[in-house]
Amino acid sequence: MSETSHPTSATAEQLRMLCKAVEKALGVEQLARSDFDTLQTQIFNRLHIHISATTLKRVWGYVATDSEPRDRTLDTLAQFVGYNSFEHFCQYRQDDTEASTPVLSRHINVKNDLDKGDTITLFWNPGRVCKVRFLGNDRFIVEESENTRLTKGATFLCSLFIEGEPLFINHLELNGQPPVAYACGKKGGIRYQLHKPQF
């Protein structure tokens, strides 16, 4: 058995809040049975991790099971909404009850909030500034950069920006190197300004 396959000790309340955070990130009130294939695809597109629709249905209680969700499953769902891990998600809720789930704070849900051509200026410590343009299908290109490895012309995938939280991006293509994952604002999170073209 792999080290990620053992069940975690998630409480019912922690699991409920994680599910609600995922639903909020997807822009839906509650996942229906038909939504799990979509969620499976979005998780893979953003994180390059495969979780079956059946496993997701078990987490949401649409498929009966006697076992608790595995650590890998909960960590992946937490990463999908902007956390390092499920433990990080739970710790954030414990430390800051006013912002119990950051997707309820100021955020950009790429699928619902952006149009192709929109730009976002990102800020994080110490003194990092990066302007990116949305290309569609969760893909962005860096247009301007100050004091950051995200140099002009780099492209990456991202589906959610959360103010005050680290930004986790995937499939970063930089200087002809193989695609990698990358985190911006590990300490203190990011701030952003959204710019929509004026016509």
Side-chain angles (χ1 to χ4, degrees):
M1 182 178 293
S2 70
E3 62 179 355
T4 58
S5 64
H6 57 280
T8 189
S9 55
T11 67
E13 175 65 10
Q14 289 170 336
L15 192 58
R16 184 187 71 82
M17 290 305 302
L18 180 60
C19 290
K20 297 308 288 185
V22 172
E23 290 168 350
K24 186 72 176 180
L26 289 173
V28 299
E29 290 292 326
Q30 184 174 2
L31 285 179
R33 283 183 178 271
S34 58
D35 293 325
F36 289 99
D37 288 334
T38 300
L39 177 57
Q40 173 187 342
T41 299
Q42 289 210 22
I43 289 172
F44 184 80
N45 287 345
R46 182 176 185 211
L47 303 175
H48 304 285
I49 297 173
H50 175 75
I51 297 181
S52 72
T54 300
T55 295
L56 294 170
K57 288 176 183 176
R58 288 194 186 103
V59 174
W60 264 259
Y62 280 92
V63 173
T65 180
D66 293 329
S67 60
E68 294 186 9
R70 294 177 175 180
D71 286 350
R72 177 181 179 273
T73 299
L74 296 180
D75 284 344
T76 299
L77 290 172
Q79 290 165 13
F80 184 74
V81 294
Y83 293 92
N84 287 325
S85 64
F86 180 63
E87 181 180 2
H88 180 214
F89 174 84
C90 296
Q91 186 65 44
Y92 185 96
R93 282 182 33 74
Q94 181 177 338
D95 290 347
D96 189 353
T97 55
E98 289 299 314
S100 60
T101 175
V103 292
L104 300 179
S105 303
R106 184 170 183 255
H107 68 282
I108 296 173
N109 181 317
V110 172
K111 177 183 176 184
N112 296 334
D113 300 332
L114 294 187
D115 298 307
K116 192 178 294 186
D118 288 351
T119 59
I120 303 171
T121 303
L122 302 166
F123 308 88
W124 68 95
N125 293 325
R128 315 293 197 225
V129 183
C130 185
K131 182 179 179 181
V132 302
R133 179 165 49 89
F134 181 48
L135 301 176
N137 297 321
D138 288 349
R139 193 166 188 81
F140 293 82
I141 186 168
V142 176
E143 293 195 327
E144 300 175 18
S145 176
E146 295 179 24
N147 305 317
T148 169
R149 288 179 57 192
L150 301 181
T151 54
K152 183 175 181 179
T155 60
F156 61 86
L157 299 176
C158 185
S159 62
L160 187 66
F161 297 79
I162 306 171
E163 185 118 309
E165 283 291 303
L167 176 67
F168 296 98
I169 63 179
N170 292 283
H171 209 81
L172 172 63
E173 297 186 22
L174 182 68
N175 298 327
Q177 299 297 314
V180 296
Y182 187 74
C184 307
K186 291 181 180 179
K187 295 183 179 180
I190 62 156
R191 293 177 295 113
Y192 68 80
Q193 292 177 353
L194 171 61
H195 313 275
K196 286 189 171 284
Q198 299 296 317
F199 296 104

